[in-house]
Amino acid sequence: MEVVTEQKIALIEDDPVVRHTTQQWLDLAGFDVQSFETAETALGSIKDNSFCAIVSDVRLPGQSGLDLMQQVKAVNPSIPIVLITGHGDVDMAVKALQKGAFDFIEKPFEPERLSDTISQAIAHYQSSKHWKSRQHYLKNLQGMEQTLIGQSAVMKELREQIHKVANIDTHVIIYGDTGCGKEVVAQCLHQYSLRSKHAFVPVNCGAIPETLFESELFGHEIGAFTGAAKKRVGKLEFADKGTLFFDEIESMPAAMQVKVLRVIQENTVERVGSNQSHHVNLRIISAAKSPLLNHPEFRQDLFYRLNVAQLYLPPLKEREEDALLLFDHFTQQANSNTRRASRADQDALLSYHWPGNVRELRNVAMRFALDDSVTVGEILSSQPTTPNPTKQQGVSLAIQMQSFEKKVLHECLNRHHGCISDVMQELDLPRRTLNQKMLKYALSRSDYID
Ligand SMILES: Nc1ncnc2c1ncn2[C@@H]1O[C@H](COP(=O)(O)OP(=O)(O)OP(=O)(O)O)[C@@H](O)[C@H]1O
Ligand SMILES: [Mg+2]
């Protein structure tokens, strides 16, 4: 789906002086403006061109701005239209909004009010185009994308790597922070390998008490130890011909590391309390949060056995385009009456640093989908992991820069009581950049006017 990235707008105004000055102002504000004298001359171009907003006077010779709006909406219902009405023409303004105008502006108007409104209209339009494009992507998921969702370049590359590695029957280590999707990657490796008809057996090394580890992995015979009332097949045997997934392998007790190494070397397993060996054919996929060689207690010989191929999952913060996509996916999973994230919700999603990665995002999306009255910002500020603003440790440089930028803009807008040209001058910012930043940080000029 085409996504409009340029700020291309059509301006329709019959008065040559007003048209010329408005065009000049909007050009200066950074918009790419094409102006027209009448609705009739504008219509052909609007249908052929990818404008992302239309600004039209209501009273025009020939067809009116309202007629123009109706015709444009018939072809492209989502394009935002800002109408300029005569002073005090309240009836007309109400009618325009009812018929689907994005907003109306009364003559005479402050040029800043017009450019602010156009910026909002464009942001709204683009956000709705992006939403449609994400919906299209989610409805047409194919193959591995159905399980491992993501449109970012790193996720596309990762899926290709998984396809390649899945077919080479070697052991693999997956690195990535908590909640990044390491287990999803391990499942994909299994699903797309020749072992897929056999079991995928996850073992969370961080969650098994040390005393139970051996019996969990190797199984036991009746009476092998106190409490062993029944014979039990261990995970290693269970994973025979399939895939064994060691999650948090860095937490595997030292004594177990020696035993697992022996299993890899000899391809045999002995249940606790038995002398009989069972042959096993295993593929071991391990997951760790940080390089295993940085863990002095992790045996190097085991590491070199397991480390035949490696895959790396970047944190969610490094693949921001996936955050909105995954958010839409999880809200739809939680509630089919999809609640759509507003612009403010999206900004909150994009400026958060996601210490819990995709798992945390999924939980936020679930809460959002199930409670119509709560915003993403409110959910995030109640997250236990939200960093304390006075304690910036662990917050990425980009996030700290953004929060600083927002603070500077807020203070400057406050000092100049919302006068945009003074803020532009003090901060030496072009209007377009300032508009974009104000939108990004949800700063509204009206909040600063006395
Ligand atoms: N790319 C993705 N597409 C769809 N769902 C995902 C994706 N990545 C993660 N998830 C979902 O996010 C949650 C956490 O993923 P997973 O359990 O694989 O993370 P992990 O890296 O193994 O976490 P941990 O380090 O805590 O073990 C799961 O519900 C998983 O289904
Ligand atoms: Mg995991």
Side-chain angles (χ1 to χ4, degrees):
M1 180 172 292
E2 184 217 8
V3 171
V4 179
T5 48
E6 282 191 354
Q7 306 216 321
K8 198 167 164 189
I9 57 174
L11 168 70
I12 303 108
E13 168 62 69
D14 58 322
D15 182 325
V17 177
V18 179
R19 186 172 66 245
H20 186 67
T21 46
T22 312
Q23 159 126 30
Q24 258 188 340
W25 169 263
L26 293 177
D27 281 343
L28 273 176
F31 298 106
D32 177 5
V33 188
Q34 194 173 345
S35 57
F36 304 90
E37 231 177 298
T38 63
E40 289 81 352
T41 49
L43 268 168
S45 285
I46 291 173
K47 282 176 190 161
D48 296 342
N49 275 300
S50 48
F51 290 107
C52 44
I54 291 166
V55 183
S56 176
D57 192 10
V58 172
R59 289 188 201 288
L60 293 166
Q63 292 190 17
S64 73
L66 285 174
D67 298 331
L68 171 91
M69 179 166 82
Q70 239 162 352
Q71 294 186 55
V72 173
K73 291 258 165 212
V75 185
N76 183 351
S78 53
I79 191 161
I81 301 177
V82 177
L83 289 173
I84 300 174
T85 61
H87 179 59
D89 205 345
V90 178
D91 287 348
M92 173 70 77
V94 171
K95 212 158 129 196
L97 289 178
Q98 278 169 347
K99 289 196 166 174
F102 177 80
D103 204 351
F104 69 90
I105 294 191
E106 257 185 332
K107 277 182 186 171
F109 54 84
E110 283 258 320
E112 280 163 359
R113 159 106 166 88
L114 180 63
S115 49
D116 282 358
T117 307
I118 296 173
S119 293
Q120 283 164 17
I122 292 175
H124 180 81
Y125 183 56
Q126 287 181 337
S127 134
S128 125
K129 279 217 156 204
H130 288 144
W131 184 80
K132 282 186 195 151
S133 143
R134 292 197 299 273
Q135 292 301 306
H136 180 78
Y137 174 84
L138 289 173
K139 283 203 179 86
N140 294 287
L141 292 173
Q142 301 266 323
M144 198 187 294
E145 268 176 320
Q146 294 171 65
T147 326
L148 189 63
I149 296 170
Q151 273 182 306
S152 57
V154 276
M155 289 308 278
K156 286 181 188 159
E157 166 79 25
L158 180 65
R159 283 193 296 264
E160 279 177 26
Q161 283 180 337
I162 295 174
H163 274 298
K164 282 187 203 145
V165 174
N167 285 318
I168 313 167
D169 200 36
T170 52
H171 304 315
V172 186
I173 304 182
I174 305 166
Y175 288 109
D177 286 351
T178 182
C180 263
K182 297 186 290 297
E183 184 148 353
V184 181
V185 170
Q187 278 162 347
C188 289
L189 279 169
H190 174 73
Q191 193 186 340
Y192 288 87
S193 75
L194 293 169
R195 295 172 174 265
S196 63
K197 287 195 183 67
H198 299 278
F200 174 81
V201 182
V203 176
N204 188 342
C205 302
I208 305 173
E210 196 164 341
T211 47
L212 298 183
F213 222 112
E214 186 169 9
S215 137
E216 192 72 17
L217 284 192
F218 291 83
H220 58 250
E221 296 293 340
I222 300 175
F225 49 86
T226 325
K230 277 198 218 156
K231 183 172 100 170
R232 184 172 195 276
V233 174
K235 303 268 190 199
L236 292 168
E237 255 186 272
F238 199 60
D240 183 29
K241 299 194 185 67
T243 306
L244 184 76
F245 174 54
F246 278 137
D247 201 357
E248 291 186 41
I249 192 159
E250 64 272 33
S251 322
M252 187 183 280
M256 273 305 111
Q257 294 179 31
V258 186
K259 294 191 176 190
V260 169
L261 179 65
R262 198 172 315 127
V263 173
I264 297 174
Q265 283 166 343
E266 294 170 10
N267 293 319
T268 56
V269 169
E270 276 168 31
R271 293 181 195 152
V272 178
S274 160
N275 291 324
Q276 205 187 340
S277 298
H278 296 267
H279 181 267
V280 282
N281 169 358
L282 294 174
R283 178 186 210 185
I284 301 180
I285 300 179
S286 315
K289 291 192 180 64
S290 54
L292 283 177
L293 284 180
N294 290 355
H295 295 264
E297 64 287 6
F298 199 83
R299 292 183 69 97
Q300 289 206 6
D301 43 10
L302 178 59
F303 168 75
Y304 287 114
R305 282 286 181 160
L306 297 174
N307 186 46
V308 185
Q310 304 109 38
L311 293 172
Y312 172 69
L313 254 169
L316 184 60
K317 193 64 205 161
E318 285 176 21
R319 41 188 165 118
E320 278 188 337
E321 58 268 62
D322 291 342
L324 296 180
L325 185 70
L326 284 162
F327 186 82
D328 288 350
H329 165 69
F330 292 128
T331 42
Q332 276 162 37
Q333 259 191 350
N335 185 352
S336 48
N337 295 328
T338 317
R339 188 180 163 205
R340 197 162 145 180
S342 70
R343 230 187 116 65
D345 290 323
Q346 292 183 24
D347 287 346
L349 289 168
L350 293 177
S351 53
Y352 188 58
H353 68 303
W354 300 112
N357 292 292
V358 184
R359 182 178 296 110
E360 187 180 13
L361 177 81
R362 189 197 55 189
N363 295 342
V364 171
M366 300 267 185
R367 282 181 62 188
F368 180 81
L370 299 175
D371 181 356
D372 278 354
S373 66
V374 72
T375 66
V376 170
E378 284 162 357
I379 299 174
L380 290 177
S381 55
S382 68
Q383 291 283 93
T385 47
T386 303
N388 178 344
T390 55
K391 183 177 155 265
Q392 292 285 318
Q393 215 181 356
V395 180
S396 79
L397 179 63
I399 298 279
Q400 293 190 50
M401 300 280 278
Q402 283 180 16
S403 114
F404 179 71
E405 190 172 61
K406 181 173 177 179
K407 187 166 161 267
V408 171
L409 285 168
H410 165 72
E411 284 169 359
C412 194
L413 278 159
N414 220 359
R415 242 186 334 276
H416 296 293
H417 311 286
C419 176
I420 296 293
S421 41
D422 287 356
V423 175
M424 281 165 61
Q425 200 175 357
E426 180 177 331
L427 299 178
D428 193 19
L429 277 179
R431 176 175 301 274
R432 180 175 172 176
T433 315
L434 179 58
N435 275 341
Q436 285 169 345
K437 288 191 187 301
M438 285 173 65
L439 274 171
K440 178 173 168 191
Y441 298 123
L443 297 169
S444 172
R445 195 169 80 91
S446 52
D447 293 340
Y448 298 91
I449 300 170
D450 293 328

